[in-house]
Amino acid sequence: MALHTTTLKLAPNNGNACGSCLQQELLKAEGIKAVDEGKGNLLVVTYEDLPDPAFDVERLIAQTQTSLEQRLRHETLILSGLDCADCAATLEKGLRRMQGLVHVSVNFATSKMAVGYEARGVSHARLVKRVRELGYSVVSPLQVSVLNEQVAEKQEAGASCGCGSCGDEHADEYAHAEEVPVARQNALQQYWQSARAWLPTLVAALLWGIAFLLSHIPGVGWLSALFYALAICVGGYRVALSGFFALVRGRTLGINLLMTIAVVGAVALGQWSEGAAVVVLFALGEFLEGFTMERVRDSLRSLVALSPKSARIKVEGEERQVLVDALRAGDIVLVRPGERIAADGKILSGTTTVNQAPITGESIPVEKQVGDEVFAGTLNEHGFIEVQASKRAQDSMLAKIIALVQEAQGSRAPVQRFVDRFAQIYTPTIMVLALLVAIVPPLAFHGVWTTWIYKALVLLVIACPCALVISTPVSIVAAIGRASRSGVLIKGGAYLEALARVKVLAFDKTGTLTQGRPVVMDVLPLGTLTEDELLSLAAGVESRSEHPLARAILREAERRRLAWNEPENFLALPGRGAQATIGADTVLVGSAKLFPACDTHTLKSIETLQRAGKTILIVGRNEEPLGLIAVADQVRPEAAQAIAQLKQAGVEQIVMLTGDNEQTAKAVAQHTGVDQVYAGLLPDQKVREIKKLLTAHTSVAMLGDGINDAPAIALSSVGIAMGAAGSDTAIETADVALMKDDLAQLPFVIRLSRAALRTIQTNIVFSLFIKALFLLLTLLGVTNLWLAIFADTGAALLVIAYSMRLLRFEKSK
């Protein structure tokens, strides 16, 4: 049977069933062969012909989606205690075994979990209980409003069902967390919820310290052991419980289980001091890891905090204060100096300067006047302005950026997937090795049982893959957060890694290397007419044309304040130019095809101007050339420097793919430093050239506007859109979006991606080196439990600290 493919666009921010749930459900239907999630909320469905003539895949998709919306509930929960990427994987695995849970995805970067579950089989309370059993906790609405005023369900609407209307017992308190008045918060509950992260560690450390002091007092050894035992119980209770449930619920040999076995083994051997030290150091390490990861997550929270909570609007001449969520397209928003703009829109009245750094990364404020576009979250520096909102707050450019950064920081790069697979093999292997170390020497070589069991316990501690599995995600989170603060959106770890490996970068010319706005460069009369007379004659004809070159002539005529006669009998001549009757004469403006009788001097002048990269228009009367007008799309002033910096950053070849003529393209290439030019290309021919480049090189990036060059951008290893601020289409189609219309952002993001990849590679090598070193030292009998847990925790903290350097990556060399 023949296979067919259809693509479904999932509408964002409307509470529909998530793509993962829909994907799983569709695969159960007869005839559906594959369902893949694509970029931009797309679902690609492959299906086969069926004998049943009533089979309609689009109707099936719609029915399935409707059924899921009625049957499933979706939530996004904020977690605490998620300080390790391995912890996130353990939590996912443990939850997937819950009956009735259809979909779960834990985003380690943002510490959030999206779930979809059967309404009759799973409740919110059961879900929270299972999370706690696995060693983590769900942040309550009370904490949400305290920790971050704007981390509310409006930012997660695309991943939740809008449970405020589904009748669940937790809906009103959770989905509307921001409505809980701060004055009514229970201070004791607030303190206790935040203290749960550090209080057990502090108490365990104090008990261990008391026990250590008592151990040096003769005759009270039993009391010292008691305090060591108390330290183990207080500090290790949560660790042991979560390790047990990870094994029982998720069939996972997690870090907590390894630590529990090591501590129990140490106690069995009478090593109370070392057992307690392992608990305290492990708990302290987890706390410090969580604290430093929160520093990394602050890069996203700083974006979220830019959204104002309320806005002033003008209704029937009166000023009203409303919540930002209540804003609708068309509302008139009043913005005073020093306030953040509450909605995307256009200025109706007033002039000001606006700091657009959160959107475009520009460090210098931009002057704004009536008719100019402004974005939510940007800062009005001076001047009172009235802005007409063009979108709801949930659909603003800032909201889109926040959602994309959240999704991107939780995505996995290919190197991370390799590390995750390696860790899945590595941990069980070390456990088997530890078992062999414990039993083989005593049984085969008459070794001392206690000595070799102790060495096996040290190996178990070494087996913790914390530093290894955290080496990649923390670097990705930091790099994507740094890029977003500079006005660059990278849509995931895979694109960050691909960008770091780019050796060839292909540019579109118009609007990318050039400004995309042709201007008149030269006006050359061939006879008795002056420049202004020639330009006025041409403007009379072009006043009826919509061609970009015609608009360039009109702009120049207006700049010179020239007047022109109204044309009659205007006629566009496709591929050649235009003509019109002015007075008693027929005036033509266009290419040399309109003037076959051009003399040698005129042809040489045309050739000279074309070699300079200019497009030539001949102005004539009754087929007699009167003069030349040279028009050119000016090269961006920063283009040459940007290309030089790209080559310094390691890009080996810069290619131009353009539909313009070869002479113009070569002139731009010579001016900017482009290595190779492919001119006169149609969109399908650009795709063909990208295919050739991909055959010769493993990674090729394509930079365009995200719309006109969409086929070539989609085929390239990394598609980059420039000047994406204000363009929803460009943001959706590209893998990397440069929000500002500035090529200088490109060398920065290339250098940042390469620095991120180097950081990941360094972290992995360092983590493996530490593991190998302590494995050797353990077998030689040099190390102990104290050093093993200290090295494991220290390695994880060093990896995080080294990755956090990316948050301060310099934009310019």
Side-chain angles (χ1 to χ4, degrees):
M1 292 186 181
L3 292 179
H4 309 278
T5 300
T6 189
T7 302
L8 171 71
K9 175 75 172 180
L10 296 179
N13 301 330
N14 66 351
N16 284 351
C18 68
S20 298
C21 294
L22 187 57
Q23 182 179 14
Q24 294 178 36
E25 198 72 12
L26 285 172
L27 287 171
K28 300 175 184 177
E30 184 181 4
I32 303 295
K33 306 305 291 182
V35 183
D36 300 305
E37 290 188 74
K39 292 186 291 186
N41 291 322
L42 295 179
L43 214 60
V44 182
V45 183
T46 304
Y47 61 98
E48 63 182 6
D49 289 326
L50 289 178
D52 182 1
F55 178 76
D56 183 341
V57 67
E58 292 189 9
R59 187 184 302 123
L60 171 66
I61 292 171
Q63 290 173 349
T64 305
Q65 192 168 16
T66 302
S67 171
L68 281 174
E69 290 171 18
Q70 295 171 348
R71 183 163 56 87
L72 297 183
R73 291 179 182 168
H74 290 79
E75 285 189 67
T76 299
L77 307 179
I78 303 173
L79 305 174
S80 64
L82 199 65
D83 48 36
C84 176
D86 188 58
C87 303
T90 301
L91 180 59
E92 271 190 17
K93 196 171 180 181
L95 287 171
R96 284 198 185 105
R97 301 182 67 85
M98 280 187 74
Q99 190 172 2
L101 194 68
V102 178
H103 163 70
V104 57
S105 175
V106 178
N107 188 327
F108 166 66
T110 59
S111 197
K112 294 183 180 181
M113 178 177 70
V115 291
Y117 55 86
E118 300 275 358
R120 295 180 181 178
V122 178
S123 68
H124 174 78
R126 277 191 61 203
L127 190 62
V128 171
K129 181 181 177 182
R130 178 62 62 89
V131 171
R132 286 175 178 166
E133 285 178 348
L134 291 167
Y136 310 95
S137 57
V138 175
V139 179
S140 71
L142 189 62
Q143 285 178 292
V144 173
S145 60
V146 174
L147 292 174
N148 195 327
E149 293 179 346
Q150 291 299 309
V151 182
E153 289 296 317
K154 63 179 181 179
Q155 299 293 354
E156 298 296 335
S160 71
C161 65
C163 59
S165 61
C166 69
D168 197 10
E169 67 273 10
H170 69 283
D172 188 59
E173 76 168 285
Y174 203 94
H176 306 288
E178 69 274 15
E179 296 177 7
V180 179
V182 175
R184 293 173 54 195
Q185 293 171 0
N186 186 309
L188 182 59
Q189 181 188 0
Q190 211 184 116
Y191 175 79
W192 172 245
Q193 287 183 334
S194 62
R196 288 171 62 184
W198 55 265
L199 191 57
T201 303
L202 176 62
V203 173
L206 290 174
L207 290 171
W208 182 86
I210 293 171
F212 180 77
L213 293 175
L214 289 173
S215 65
H216 290 78
I217 301 175
V220 292
W222 64 272
L223 190 57
S224 173
L226 176 62
F227 273 93
Y228 279 134
L230 289 173
I232 290 172
C233 291
V234 172
Y237 169 75
R238 185 189 63 82
V239 174
L241 197 63
S242 59
F244 170 75
F245 279 113
L247 180 64
V248 174
R249 306 288 195 192
R251 306 290 191 268
T252 303
L253 300 174
I255 293 173
N256 292 325
L257 181 64
L258 297 180
M259 287 297 108
T260 302
I261 295 173
V263 172
V264 171
V267 170
L269 295 175
Q271 301 288 339
W272 290 92
S273 175
E274 294 206 25
V278 167
V279 167
V280 171
L281 289 174
F282 180 68
L284 179 62
E286 279 198 321
F287 173 76
L288 292 175
E289 286 174 27
F291 176 77
T292 50
M293 273 306 301
E294 287 303 305
R295 291 278 307 278
V296 178
R297 289 169 183 144
D298 282 345
S299 63
L300 179 59
R301 292 200 182 108
S302 63
L303 271 179
V304 176
L306 292 172
S307 303
K309 289 184 64 177
S310 62
R312 282 186 303 276
I313 63 173
K314 186 163 68 174
V315 181
E316 298 178 352
E318 295 184 0
E319 184 177 317
R320 294 182 185 175
Q321 190 91 4
V322 298
L323 292 175
V324 167
D325 286 351
L327 288 177
R328 295 293 180 265
D331 286 347
I332 308 301
V333 183
L334 310 179
V335 189
R336 294 172 180 169
E339 292 182 341
R340 292 202 177 272
I341 298 170
D344 288 2
K346 290 188 176 180
I347 296 178
L348 289 182
S349 68
T351 59
T352 187
T353 57
V354 176
N355 185 338
Q356 299 189 144
I359 303 296
T360 64
E362 296 170 280
S363 57
I364 300 175
V366 180
E367 292 186 3
K368 297 286 185 178
Q369 55 190 355
V370 173
D372 286 345
E373 188 175 16
V374 292
F375 303 107
T378 56
L379 182 66
N380 177 28
E381 294 207 329
H382 68 77
F384 178 82
I385 56 174
E386 294 184 1
V387 177
Q388 184 173 36
S390 59
K391 301 174 183 176
R392 299 182 308 158
Q394 297 91 328
D395 301 324
S396 70
M397 183 61 61
L398 180 62
K400 289 180 182 292
I401 291 172
I402 291 169
L404 283 170
V405 173
Q406 285 178 329
E407 182 181 349
Q409 289 184 326
S411 67
R412 296 184 178 183
V415 66
Q416 184 178 349
R417 290 193 288 269
F418 165 76
V419 168
D420 291 344
R421 289 194 300 268
F422 177 81
Q424 289 174 359
I425 299 171
Y426 162 81
T427 303
T429 301
I430 292 292
M431 289 197 71
V432 172
L433 180 60
L435 181 62
L436 293 176
V437 167
I439 62 175
V440 171
L443 292 177
F445 305 104
H446 305 291
V448 180
W449 280 97
T450 53
T451 300
W452 288 100
I453 289 175
Y454 184 83
K455 290 182 179 182
L457 295 177
V458 175
L459 278 180
L460 286 181
V461 174
I462 293 172
C464 292
C466 235
L468 183 63
V469 296
I470 209 172
S471 59
T472 303
V474 70
S475 301
I476 291 172
V477 170
I480 290 176
R482 176 67 184 93
S484 67
R485 292 208 318 269
S486 298
V488 180
L489 292 184
I490 304 174
K491 289 193 176 178
Y495 304 120
L496 181 71
E497 183 177 341
L499 200 60
R501 301 184 189 279
V502 164
K503 296 296 182 184
V504 178
L505 209 159
F507 284 85
D508 174 44
K509 179 183 77 68
T510 305
T512 304
L513 290 172
T514 64
Q515 294 180 344
R517 189 171 183 239
V519 296
V520 173
M521 305 295 292
D522 305 283
V523 180
L524 302 176
L526 296 174
T528 58
L529 293 179
T530 65
E531 286 189 14
D532 286 354
E533 289 172 339
L534 182 67
L535 195 60
S536 293
L537 198 60
V541 177
E542 300 291 24
S543 64
R544 293 288 185 269
S545 175
E546 292 297 323
H547 196 279
L549 297 182
R551 289 196 291 270
I553 290 175
L554 290 173
R555 282 195 299 270
E556 180 63 17
E558 290 171 352
R559 188 186 69 82
R560 298 190 184 198
R561 298 181 179 178
L562 303 179
W564 55 84
N565 295 322
E566 289 297 315
E568 297 177 356
N569 304 319
F570 173 82
L571 180 64
L573 305 171
R576 294 181 294 165
Q579 71 177 41
T581 301
I582 297 180
D585 300 315
T586 299
V587 179
L588 299 94
V589 181
S591 67
K593 296 177 183 178
L594 291 176
F595 303 92
C598 285
D599 58 32
T600 305
H601 173 71
T602 301
L603 292 175
K604 284 184 177 179
S605 297
I606 292 172
E607 185 178 348
T608 301
L609 291 169
Q610 285 180 335
R611 279 200 301 267
K614 300 172 183 177
T615 300
I616 311 304
L617 297 174
I618 304 176
V619 183
R621 183 189 293 122
N622 301 325
E623 297 188 359
E624 178 189 353
L626 299 176
L628 308 177
I629 297 178
V631 180
D633 184 5
Q634 290 182 306
V635 175
R636 291 179 180 273
E638 75 276 12
Q641 183 180 4
I643 288 178
Q645 290 176 347
L646 285 170
K647 291 180 178 179
Q648 290 174 4
V651 179
E652 296 174 356
Q653 188 176 5
I654 306 292
V655 177
M656 182 196 297
L657 305 178
T658 179
D660 209 340
N661 68 76
E662 188 170 359
Q663 286 183 324
T664 301
K666 285 185 175 179
V668 173
Q670 185 176 8
H671 182 79
T672 57
V674 170
D675 299 315
Q676 199 164 357
V677 174
Y678 298 92
L681 301 179
L682 296 173
D684 62 320
Q685 293 172 321
K686 288 186 179 182
V687 169
R688 183 189 63 202
E689 295 302 330
I690 289 290
K691 286 181 179 178
K692 289 180 181 178
L693 290 171
L694 285 169
T695 302
H697 308 274
T698 55
S699 187
V700 177
M702 172 70 188
L703 177 68
D705 61 10
I707 304 171
N708 298 332
D709 299 301
I713 285 176
L715 183 64
S716 61
S717 307
V718 187
I720 308 172
M722 188 173 72
S727 172
D728 293 343
T729 306
I731 287 180
E732 285 186 8
T733 55
D735 304 319
V736 177
L738 310 181
M739 303 303 291
K740 186 183 175 186
D741 197 21
D742 182 9
L743 275 177
Q745 288 183 314
L746 190 56
F748 159 70
V749 74
I750 292 286
R751 291 190 299 107
L752 174 62
S753 65
R754 294 183 189 238
L757 185 59
R758 287 195 302 270
T759 300
I760 290 170
Q761 292 168 340
T762 302
N763 285 343
I764 291 172
V765 170
F766 172 72
S767 302
L768 292 176
F769 171 76
I770 291 295
K771 299 297 180 187
L773 175 63
F774 268 80
L775 175 62
L776 178 62
L777 292 176
T778 299
L779 294 177
L780 293 175
V782 176
T783 188
N784 55 34
L785 282 174
W786 284 58
L787 288 175
I789 189 63
F790 186 77
D792 180 73
T793 300
L797 292 173
L798 286 174
V799 161
I800 294 173
Y802 187 65
S803 300
M804 286 178 68
R805 292 164 50 255
L806 294 170
L807 290 171
R808 300 184 298 276
F809 189 81
E810 292 294 333
K811 192 169 184 179
S812 59
K813 278 191 167 182

